[in-house]
């Protein structure tokens, strides 16, 4: 059963407008729909969303991805009823928990405790229901010491923790979460992802907007890709991520899969060559992620040294750090480091192997 239905929704903003409408603009919009002039009337305006349609079923986990300015947050604000569409129709069935902006729904002069009750009331919860969940909310947000402090004295991270705890724990049937979770630290982000995952497992609907493809891939099964306000793709999350990453990755590995040093330095160590290899040892420029690859680093040691480190860092297409591997001397104080010569460090199948080339000095 569809709990969210979006039908041919478009949203237009006047350039320079932040989040409000003047009376004059409201009148213009109303009359404009009835008597649309033949002249071009989009001058001075921008379409944040254009003719977007989709449905979300109960218990579905939906990701919304796209580049900056593609309309992701605008769409979430429309779903949260923070603003209204310029045209089209949105139908929502069920209570929503919303976290789309830091401090959204909070009053800065009220304490954390008072804001929990205020947010619960806005969501339609009774005081009895809020009291039953209150201790769990505060524990999740890790704000026991600050719960009776006005939230205008909270840091941005504290506000996010409290906002997410309220949104996720007051039994919402639909949970909307924007990129604001990026403000929290890594451990809190993991806690939020686990909470959203358990909410989805309980049959609740989760909609996540994020630039973290790892979070989207882990949490959602279906994703919508927005491009300049229009829907570019709606389908399985893995396919959506590939389409999103394609223009980002275009040309990233266009260079030869062998890097050679262009000049010699006077440093004690110099990297001379880096190669990308298939598992059969051949130089390659493209790889099957299920088969793996090797990274080979050739370097020269010019003077006896200890504590030498050759490090290889792997990053995902969205910039997220995946893994670091190091070839490190085990005992830096014992001076058992590298003697002058040529060396090769190889990462293969997740392990780091080091083999010494013939000493040419």
């Amino acid at each position: 059963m569809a709990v969210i239905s979006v039908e041919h929704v478009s949203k237009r903003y006047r350039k320079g407008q932040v989040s409000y409408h003047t009376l004059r603009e409201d009148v213009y919009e109303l009359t404009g729909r009835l008597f649309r002039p033949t002249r071009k009337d989009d001058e001075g305006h921008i379409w944040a969303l254009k003719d977007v349609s989709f449905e979300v079923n109960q218990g579905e986990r939906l990701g919304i991805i796209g580049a900056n300015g593609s309309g992701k947050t605008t769409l979430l604000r429309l779903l949260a009823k923070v603003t209204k569409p310029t045209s089209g129709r949105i139908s929502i069935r069920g209570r929503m928990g919303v976290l789309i902006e830091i401090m959204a729904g909070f009053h800065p002069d009220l304490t954390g405790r008072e804001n929990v009750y205020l947010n619960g009331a806005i969501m339609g919860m009774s005081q009895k229901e809020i009291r039953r969940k209150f201790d769990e909310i505060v524990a999740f947000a890790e704000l026991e010491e600050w719960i009776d402090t006005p939230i205008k004295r909270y840091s941005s991270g504290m506000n996010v923790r409290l906002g997410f705890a309220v949104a996720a724990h007051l039994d919402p049937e639909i949970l909307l979460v924007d990129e604001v979770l990026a403000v929290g630290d890594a451990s809190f982000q993991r806690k939020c992802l686990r909470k959203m995952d358990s909410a989805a497992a309980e049959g609740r609907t989760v909609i996540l907007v994020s630039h973290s493809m790892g979070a989207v891939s882990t949490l959602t099964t279906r994703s919508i890709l927005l491009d300049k306000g229009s829907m570019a793709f709606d389908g399985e999350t893995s396919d959506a991520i590939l389409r999103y990453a394609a223009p980002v990755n275009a040309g990233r590995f266009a260079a030869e899969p062998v890097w050679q040093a262009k000049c010699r330095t006077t440093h004690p160590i110099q990297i001379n060559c880096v190669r990308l290899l298939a598992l059969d040892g051949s130089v390659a420029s493209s790889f099957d992620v299920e088969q793996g690859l090797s990274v080979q680093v050739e370097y020269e040691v010019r003077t006896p040294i200890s504590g030498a480190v050759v490090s290889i860092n792997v990053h995902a297409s969205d910039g997220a750090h995946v893994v670091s591997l190091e070839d490190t001397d085990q005992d830096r104080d014992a001076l058992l480091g590298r003697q002058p010569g040529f060396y090769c460090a190889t990462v293969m199948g997740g392990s780091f192997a080091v083999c010494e080339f013939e000493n040419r000095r």
Side-chain angles (χ1 to χ4, degrees):
M1 179 183 72
V3 294
I4 296 177
S5 178
V6 177
E7 303 174 31
H8 303 290
V9 166
S10 297
K11 180 63 179 177
R12 187 177 74 166
Y13 288 109
R14 182 165 55 87
K15 290 180 181 177
Q17 176 182 308
V18 180
S19 59
Y20 61 87
H21 292 270
T22 63
L23 177 60
R24 179 179 178 180
E25 183 167 346
D26 284 338
V27 172
Y28 173 82
E29 289 290 341
L30 178 61
T31 56
R33 293 176 190 175
L34 298 176
F35 308 104
R36 188 64 69 184
T38 55
R39 65 179 177 84
K40 184 178 180 181
D41 65 347
D42 281 345
E43 293 180 6
H45 293 78
I46 184 170
W47 289 95
L49 288 175
K50 293 177 286 188
D51 195 29
V52 173
S53 298
F54 63 91
E55 289 187 343
V56 184
N57 293 322
Q58 181 179 353
E60 196 166 7
R61 297 184 285 182
L62 177 71
I64 301 177
I65 61 176
N68 289 332
S70 61
K72 305 184 300 297
T73 299
T74 296
L75 178 56
L76 237 65
R77 286 174 177 168
L78 291 171
L79 294 176
K81 300 182 179 179
V82 172
T83 186
K84 295 181 180 179
T86 303
S87 62
R89 181 172 177 268
I90 298 177
S91 300
I92 297 176
R93 304 173 185 86
R95 176 190 291 162
M96 285 194 298
V98 181
L99 186 61
I100 61 175
E101 289 180 358
I102 298 174
M103 300 283 287
F106 284 172
H107 193 296
D109 291 324
L110 299 181
T111 66
R113 181 186 304 273
E114 292 166 334
N115 272 291
V116 170
Y117 279 89
L118 174 63
N119 253 250
I122 291 173
M123 290 176 60
M125 306 288 290
S126 68
Q127 287 203 7
K128 182 178 180 181
E129 289 176 291
I130 299 170
R131 279 196 300 270
R132 181 165 48 86
K133 290 281 188 176
F134 183 82
D135 290 341
E136 188 178 347
I137 291 170
V138 176
F140 186 92
E142 302 171 7
L143 292 173
E144 292 91 341
E145 185 179 352
W146 303 95
I147 197 62
D148 291 311
T149 300
I151 65 168
K152 64 184 178 183
R153 298 192 175 95
Y154 284 12
S155 67
S156 58
M158 293 165 71
N159 277 301
V160 166
R161 296 208 303 269
L162 185 61
F164 183 87
V166 171
H169 284 81
L170 293 182
D171 297 327
E173 295 164 298
I174 303 169
L175 183 60
L176 306 180
V177 183
D178 199 356
E179 193 68 71
V180 291
L181 287 183
V183 177
D185 58 31
S187 63
F188 184 72
Q189 289 179 31
R190 288 193 294 270
K191 185 191 292 189
C192 292
L193 290 174
R194 288 195 298 269
K195 183 63 180 177
M196 287 189 284
D197 196 32
S198 65
E202 294 168 2
R204 296 173 186 166
T205 305
V206 176
I207 299 180
L208 173 67
V209 166
S210 180
H211 284 106
S212 170
M213 295 302 101
V216 173
S217 177
T218 300
L219 187 66
T220 69
T221 55
R222 170 192 167 200
S223 287
I224 289 172
L225 173 62
L226 294 177
D227 181 25
K228 298 178 182 178
S230 300
M231 278 185 55
F233 181 78
D234 180 0
E236 290 188 11
T237 291
S238 57
D239 293 333
I241 291 175
L242 286 175
R243 288 173 181 259
Y244 171 65
V248 177
N249 289 334
R252 177 168 290 186
F253 297 110
E256 291 296 322
V258 177
W259 177 88
Q260 296 277 0
K262 296 179 180 176
C263 61
R264 290 182 62 81
T265 69
T266 59
H267 300 308
I269 295 181
Q270 173 167 331
I271 295 177
N272 292 326
C273 179
V274 179
R275 297 186 184 90
L276 300 179
L277 307 175
L279 291 186
D280 62 2
S282 61
V283 175
S285 58
S286 61
F287 305 89
D288 185 335
V289 294
E290 295 184 355
Q291 297 299 319
L293 74 155
S294 296
V295 181
Q296 191 176 80
V297 181
E298 292 182 11
Y299 60 98
E300 178 184 358
V301 176
R302 297 192 174 106
T303 60
I305 59 171
S306 63
V309 176
V310 176
S311 176
I312 294 176
N313 298 291
V314 179
H315 296 267
S317 60
D318 61 355
H321 180 260
V322 176
V323 67
S324 292
L325 295 169
E326 291 184 349
D327 163 32
T328 309
D329 291 347
Q330 296 298 312
D331 189 349
R332 298 190 180 194
D333 297 327
L335 300 178
L336 298 176
R338 302 286 187 267
Q339 295 298 314
F342 293 86
Y343 297 81
C344 179
T346 304
V347 175
M348 178 180 294
S351 61
F352 211 117
V354 179
C355 54
E356 182 176 356
F357 281 179
E358 177 185 357
N359 191 327
R360 300 177 183 177
R361 288 181 179 264

